[in-house]
Amino acid sequence: MKITASKENLLFGVSAVQKAVNAKNTLPILTCIKLEAKGDHLSFTATDLEVGIQCKVPAGVIEEGVCVVPARYFSEIVRKLPDSVITLELIHDGEIIIQYSNSELNLKTMPADEFPQLPVVDGEYKLSIEAGKIKQMVRQTAFACSTDESRPLFTGVLCEIENNEIRMISTDTHRLALKKEYIQNKQKKSFSFIVPAKILTEMARLIQNDEEFCQMNISKNLATFVIENIQIVCRLFDGQFPNYQQVIPSQYTLKVKTKTKLFQEAVERISLFSLDSSSNTIHLKIENNILRLFSQSELGQGYEEIPIAGEGDPVDIAFNYRYLLDVFRVLDEEELTIEFTGPLSPGIIRPVENNNFLYLVLPVRC
Amino acid sequence: MNAFYASVTQVLEPELKGKPLLIAGDPEKRHGIILTASYEAKKRGVKTGMPIWEAKMHCPQAILRPPNFAAFMDFSNRVFAILRDFSPLVEPFSIDEAFVELTGTEKLWGSPLQAAQAIKKRIKEEVGILCSVGIGPSKVVAKMAAGLQKPDGLTLLTEADIPRRLWPLPIGELFGVGKRMEQHLLNMGIRTIGDLAQTPPKLLRQRFGVVGVTLRELARGQDSSPVNPSSLDTVKSVGHQITLPKDYSLLKEIKVVLLELAEAVSRRARLGNYLGKTVSLSVRGSDFSGIHRSLTLKEATAYPSVIYETALKLFQQHWPQELPVRLLGVSLGNLVRAEGQQLSLFEPEPQLYQAIDRIKNKFGEKSLLRGSFLLEEGVFYEAGKKQDVGRSPHYLS
């Protein structure tokens, strides 16, 4: 194998596959990146057997071939290379020579035939979505997932496709985010699958161009996502996602409308008094078109009033303020509504100008 | 209070006064253990914890009575009310023991000795039972002093009396030293309270850690803990245990009882508005061997499913399969207030039990039972006829 490539392209390839390398893996081959020169490009592949990422970058291929390099050293080297044309050459005794200007580095490689093949997914369901859309969907849902590995299902995002609608749902059982979008879909049959949230987040990060399309290929337990030159293969969660529709109240006893920024800033200020307590509780009291936020701790207390437009019964409720702050980070609309059905029932936050997103948050007992 | 359960029963049934009286559970259900013996029976060698048949051997003419817990509670409350007339700082320690802080009441009641005499007089006249009072510079000394003279005792110990009065006592008599600790200390050659008081603290720290040093301080009469009138207000755990009517060896039978216990424990936790994080299981075998194991959960609960599953897991992990079981107990500890708890989605139990609790509050504990509790092996609700299974853990305060 012998190629020439720019530092920029090498760095792009290395960082694209980085997330699939587990430096602590007990199998040494899985701590490596596979480089393959073919045609007019160099491809980078990494996998931890749960997820595999492959990225192709343009390169001048002088001699086609494959080699496997330790990810940690190789990516460090690439990061520190000067901005010039780099030559990579595999020499016969299992070493790769990295040449730049008048210098060269030699790095030991691993046997290429030991590197696992990424599975080829030929699933029942194929789908194509604008990359920008999927990026936004992931941004507005993945944050609400659980990180508790003892209940793996909740560390994943449920994707449902029905006619021309795709929905992503995530929950950690204390709050739930739901986002829908409209897509071109030729498949009559509706289907759903659960993808690990961290893989979706990584995919969203790797999207360079929102105009591109993300090609999905879903089988029973595997999925591939292809965006431009990047391909991600991952395992899907096996299991039944609980019936989320059942927990979203269809009615409310109070609905209020307020400015997102106003509400967000009030929560940020008042929650300062909850920082130290374990429950992170902030109280909300709504009456006569006034939303009163209140919190207290050993350090002090504070309250703030913001005007709202509301209709319905007064409510006195408490939330974990972190769950409120989380949703402000992904809301782009200027105004939002909150629906309540009592102090022990979930509050539902929706942007006013957009009915494709909802965020449900369960209260804290007060 | 002296022979409290027996004394109360004698007040309620004056014809029993002066006669050997035994308060014991129902031998049919194998609760036939002496809870309290009157002093007349004690003189003939009956001790608390003896089986009825053994007590009868010592004292064949003894009269048996079942415990009347409601009356005991009422008498206890009346005694504590008298104590509160003497000082606002009264710390109930058990149903028949309490600490009273008399510092600062000298102008009102005279010396502690005079106050103690007044207390004894009022309890005797108004409630009708005798008690032993100990006076000391700390809680531990007062408690030990009260034990020196029974019944109807009054003992005052000053700092200077400790070496003469307390140090010659065997080490097992020291407050805070249980059976096991006693054995450990005996093995170290520490036979009396005085021996412990004179052991270098470094040695005790090495052997027992902080507990060792604290015990040595207690042996020297040093106890800095204040009389805390609200020590019982914070409930530490809720639990239930039951002696089975016959030994159970089938897992199928044991499962029913564990579910009953989990159901009762969770109900009591909910009544007190608590959630608990630690599930403990106690098992005693037919040979009186016993284990006590506990497991701490990730999230606090007040519902039977997790409590039952955890108790069952502990049972299967720690109890030898073939050993017949005589007693089972489940408790929920590490309690936190339900207020401030984050609610969760996809958990059917909170809503379900909200409804169940409402029904039980209105129609009684046995208005709604799981089918399996009615099986022959179900015991708890049968035994619960006499005991209030659903009492809030607040009932002591």
Side-chain angles (χ1 to χ4, degrees):
Chain A
M1 186 189 97
K2 188 174 183 186
I3 60 120
T4 58
S6 68
K7 178 204 169 170
E8 195 191 348
N9 281 338
L10 289 178
L11 189 57
F12 180 78
V14 165
S15 46
V17 301
Q18 197 70 54
K19 268 276 147 69
V21 188
N22 179 354
K24 292 191 186 107
N25 209 305
T26 46
L27 288 173
I29 195 79
L30 297 182
T31 65
C32 295
I33 297 175
K34 183 169 112 175
L35 307 175
E36 184 169 8
K38 205 172 179 183
D40 58 355
H41 62 260
L42 176 69
S43 76
F44 295 74
T45 311
T47 179
D48 61 2
L49 302 181
E50 289 296 320
V51 56
I53 305 179
Q54 190 170 64
C55 175
K56 290 179 185 170
V57 299
V61 177
I62 298 156
E63 189 191 326
E64 291 189 344
V66 188
C67 78
V68 171
V69 288
R72 213 177 111 209
Y73 293 99
F74 189 69
S75 55
E76 273 310 301
I77 290 170
V78 168
R79 252 174 261 282
K80 290 177 179 142
L81 285 173
D83 263 329
S84 64
V85 175
I86 319 284
T87 310
L88 299 182
E89 184 180 4
L90 180 72
I91 53 172
H92 50 81
D93 46 357
E95 270 181 31
I96 190 166
I97 304 174
I98 303 157
Q99 282 178 312
Y100 53 95
S101 318
N102 292 324
S103 317
E104 82 171 42
L105 303 167
N106 285 30
L107 182 65
K108 289 261 191 297
T109 65
M110 299 271 286
D113 51 355
E114 276 182 25
F115 198 87
Q117 288 284 323
L118 291 191
V120 179
V121 181
D122 183 22
E124 207 180 329
Y125 305 107
K126 293 181 180 67
L127 210 61
S128 174
I129 309 174
E130 283 112 302
K133 260 185 196 171
I134 206 127
K135 200 164 147 184
Q136 177 71 348
M137 289 185 86
V138 171
R139 183 172 89 96
Q140 292 193 309
T141 53
F143 73 96
C145 278
S146 165
T147 50
D148 179 3
E149 298 288 341
S150 68
R151 296 165 87 185
L153 224 49
F154 294 126
T155 66
V157 176
L158 172 71
C159 305
E160 289 186 323
I161 291 102
E162 194 175 357
N163 300 324
N164 285 328
E165 191 174 289
I166 177 169
R167 292 185 291 270
M168 281 195 187
I169 299 98
S170 63
T171 178
D172 63 359
T173 77
H174 302 314
R175 32 72 181 276
L176 178 147
L178 185 156
K179 171 80 178 172
K180 36 182 187 185
E181 275 294 349
Y182 297 97
I183 47 160
Q184 298 275 328
N185 178 21
K186 290 181 205 90
Q187 275 142 136
K188 286 272 175 332
K189 224 167 123 189
S190 51
F191 62 100
S192 68
F193 52 95
I194 308 167
V195 201
K198 53 183 183 211
I199 288 165
L200 284 182
T201 310
E202 183 60 15
M203 176 176 80
R205 192 183 70 91
L206 292 175
I207 291 172
Q208 299 281 302
N209 184 352
D210 288 357
E211 315 298 310
E212 277 294 326
F213 275 81
C214 171
Q215 315 285 342
M216 298 188 188
N217 192 333
I218 315 293
S219 78
K220 193 169 170 289
N221 48 18
L222 286 173
T224 40
F225 306 98
V226 180
I227 306 160
E228 287 184 271
N229 302 322
I230 298 171
Q231 183 196 359
I232 301 174
V233 187
C234 76
R235 252 179 232 284
L236 298 174
F237 282 120
D238 186 21
Q240 183 69 41
F241 205 82
N243 186 348
Y244 69 90
Q245 274 156 336
Q246 210 179 309
V247 300
I248 303 174
S250 50
Q251 289 165 328
Y252 52 82
T253 55
L254 172 70
K255 183 173 179 171
V256 301
K257 191 162 104 173
T258 183
K259 294 246 186 292
T260 309
K261 197 157 181 261
L262 208 63
F263 189 27
Q264 173 177 8
E265 286 173 352
V267 172
E268 279 169 354
R269 278 188 292 267
I270 295 304
S271 63
L272 286 175
F273 290 109
S274 310
L275 283 180
D276 266 352
S277 73
S278 54
S279 61
N280 304 320
T281 308
I282 179 167
H283 288 262
L284 268 64
K285 197 169 181 170
I286 302 165
E287 212 170 11
N288 303 332
N289 286 340
I290 299 280
L291 166 66
R292 200 160 178 262
L293 296 105
F294 176 81
S295 106
Q296 68 179 105
S297 74
E298 286 155 11
L299 289 174
Q301 54 177 282
Y303 85 89
E304 196 157 319
E305 283 180 1
I306 52 175
I308 45 141
E311 45 188 270
D313 308 334
V315 74
D316 198 348
I317 196 167
F319 291 108
N320 181 333
Y321 74 86
R322 288 173 196 276
Y323 295 157
L324 295 178
L325 293 182
D326 278 351
V327 72
F328 296 137
R329 250 173 253 138
V330 303
L331 274 181
D332 305 319
E333 288 78 3
E334 270 182 30
E335 284 187 308
L336 58 84
T337 63
I338 320 173
E339 295 157 23
F340 299 96
T341 33
L344 296 179
S345 301
I348 298 188
I349 298 176
R350 302 176 201 262
V352 169
E353 295 290 316
N354 180 346
N355 62 358
N356 286 342
F357 176 72
L358 82 78
Y359 183 68
L360 176 151
V361 54
L362 271 173
V364 167
R365 211 182 272 273
C366 63
Chain B
M1 265 80 85
N2 303 128
F4 181 60
Y5 292 177
S7 306
V8 172
T9 310
Q10 283 169 331
V11 172
L12 295 174
E13 295 182 59
E15 63 276 17
L16 298 177
K17 269 204 179 131
K19 290 183 185 156
L21 171 66
L22 305 176
I23 308 297
D26 183 357
E28 285 283 297
K29 297 225 170 65
R30 304 205 303 183
H31 298 160
I33 297 282
I34 304 300
L35 298 172
T36 306
S38 70
Y39 275 90
E40 294 76 17
K42 276 188 185 171
K43 267 182 225 150
R44 294 189 171 81
V46 180
K47 290 200 168 78
T48 301
M50 252 182 200
I52 291 177
W53 61 266
E54 197 185 333
K56 282 276 188 188
M57 302 258 285
H58 288 281
C59 185
Q61 67 275 45
I63 301 156
L64 270 173
R65 283 288 182 272
N68 178 351
F69 287 108
F72 301 156
M73 196 61 74
D74 176 50
F75 272 67
S76 168
N77 286 337
R78 281 161 56 196
V79 171
F80 291 165
I82 294 173
L83 297 179
R84 288 193 187 98
D85 284 346
F86 285 83
S87 165
L89 295 175
V90 174
E91 178 178 342
F93 188 66
S94 71
I95 191 164
D96 65 341
E97 293 169 291
F99 293 106
V100 185
E101 175 69 80
L102 287 174
T103 310
T105 66
E106 294 85 350
K107 287 266 162 72
L108 281 169
W109 312 112
S111 71
L113 209 57
Q114 284 167 315
Q117 274 158 347
I119 289 173
K120 278 174 65 88
K121 190 162 170 260
R122 277 195 61 189
I123 293 176
K124 195 173 170 184
E125 282 170 8
E126 294 173 29
V127 188
I129 56 180
L130 299 177
C131 58
S132 291
V133 180
I135 304 168
S138 62
K139 273 158 77 176
V140 60
V141 178
K143 163 115 176 116
M144 301 281 300
L148 288 177
Q149 193 190 351
K150 276 178 174 179
D152 200 19
L154 176 54
T155 311
L156 185 140
L157 291 185
T158 63
E159 205 106 25
D161 293 329
I162 295 170
R164 190 171 53 85
R165 300 288 302 273
L166 295 183
W167 286 8
L169 297 177
I171 188 66
E173 297 279 312
L174 179 64
F175 176 65
V177 174
K179 275 254 156 59
R180 284 204 183 180
M181 186 51 100
E182 180 183 4
Q183 202 52 54
H184 284 309
L185 292 169
L186 287 177
N187 290 345
M188 288 172 77
I190 299 172
R191 295 178 191 285
T192 63
I193 296 178
D195 289 347
L196 180 62
Q198 277 143 12
T199 306
K202 204 177 150 199
L203 192 71
L204 293 164
R205 181 182 289 278
Q206 276 174 358
R207 180 71 179 78
F208 304 110
V210 189
V211 184
V213 182
T214 312
L215 278 180
R216 179 177 176 275
E217 282 172 8
L218 291 180
R220 303 175 80 90
Q222 293 158 354
D223 175 11
S224 56
S225 65
V227 173
N228 175 9
S230 54
S231 75
L232 282 180
D233 291 355
T234 45
V235 178
K236 282 143 199 125
S237 71
V238 287
H240 274 294
Q241 63 175 37
I242 192 143
T243 304
L244 304 169
K246 63 178 176 70
D247 293 341
Y248 283 10
S249 16
L250 294 177
L251 187 63
K252 189 184 85 175
E253 300 172 321
I254 285 155
K255 276 180 169 176
V256 173
V257 181
L258 287 180
L259 187 58
E260 288 182 311
L261 290 166
E263 194 70 66
V265 164
S266 69
R267 163 85 172 139
R268 244 177 73 190
R270 289 194 305 278
L271 278 171
N273 222 357
Y274 289 105
L275 289 110
K277 249 186 141 170
T278 305
V279 175
S280 311
L281 171 80
S282 314
V283 190
R284 194 164 300 152
S286 54
D287 56 351
F288 284 90
S289 61
I291 57 160
H292 185 85
R293 296 284 182 278
S294 60
L295 194 75
T296 298
L297 309 166
K298 246 191 178 142
E299 272 178 48
T301 185
Y303 302 102
S305 65
V306 181
I307 300 175
Y308 166 70
E309 276 156 30
T310 313
L312 182 61
K313 195 162 113 190
L314 288 170
F315 181 83
Q316 287 176 314
Q317 258 173 22
H318 298 292
W319 190 254
Q321 220 174 9
E322 61 287 355
L323 208 59
V325 175
R326 183 189 163 86
L327 173 143
L328 282 170
V330 172
S331 77
L332 185 65
N334 222 333
L335 297 180
V336 289
R337 303 294 305 172
E339 291 101 34
Q341 291 301 306
Q342 173 69 50
L343 303 174
S344 293
L345 292 166
F346 314 118
E347 280 165 15
E349 276 185 313
Q351 267 192 312
L352 180 64
Y353 275 90
Q354 210 178 354
I356 290 177
D357 285 343
R358 246 185 266 149
I359 294 173
K360 287 191 172 181
N361 292 345
K362 197 164 176 185
F363 299 106
E365 291 306 319
K366 280 183 280 179
S367 54
L368 204 57
L369 295 181
R370 285 177 195 254
S372 61
F373 297 177
L374 301 175
L375 292 171
E376 204 181 318
E377 48 267 35
V379 288
F380 194 77
Y381 282 84
E382 181 60 28
K385 266 180 191 159
K386 281 189 207 116
Q387 94 196 68
D388 185 359
V389 276
R391 189 153 29 203
S392 139
H394 266 317
Y395 68 98
L396 276 179
S397 56

